[in-house]
């Protein structure tokens, strides 16, 4: 048996959960920012390579277009 038991599996959404209270006032740490990041990472980690968008399409993702709910220039 392993020396230390493995932690139970967690979903990607649980791991990349919304920010703690202390970070919510910082730019880029709103619940919407975390939702955009989660969507981007889920697309990057798609198991089926045919389902993964190409890099040029990923660069158009909303995560890269917004920072703290303000559009980037």
């Amino acid at each position: 048996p392993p020396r230390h038991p493995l932690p139970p599996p967690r979903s990607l959404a649980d791991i990349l959960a919304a920010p703690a209270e202390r970070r919510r006032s910082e730019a880029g740490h709103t619940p919407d920012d975390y939702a955009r990041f989660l969507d981007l990472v889920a697309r990057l980690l798609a198991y089926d390579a045919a389902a993964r968008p190409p890099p040029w399409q990923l660069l158009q993702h909303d995560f890269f277009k917004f920072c703290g709910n303000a559009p980037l220039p």
Side-chain angles (χ1 to χ4, degrees), residues 11-13 15-16 37-53 58:
S11 72
L12 185 61
I15 294 168
L16 301 176
F37 181 66
L38 176 61
D39 181 68
L40 173 66
V41 172
R43 290 171 189 251
L44 289 167
L45 297 177
Y47 184 75
D48 181 7
R52 269 182 253 136
L58 289 167

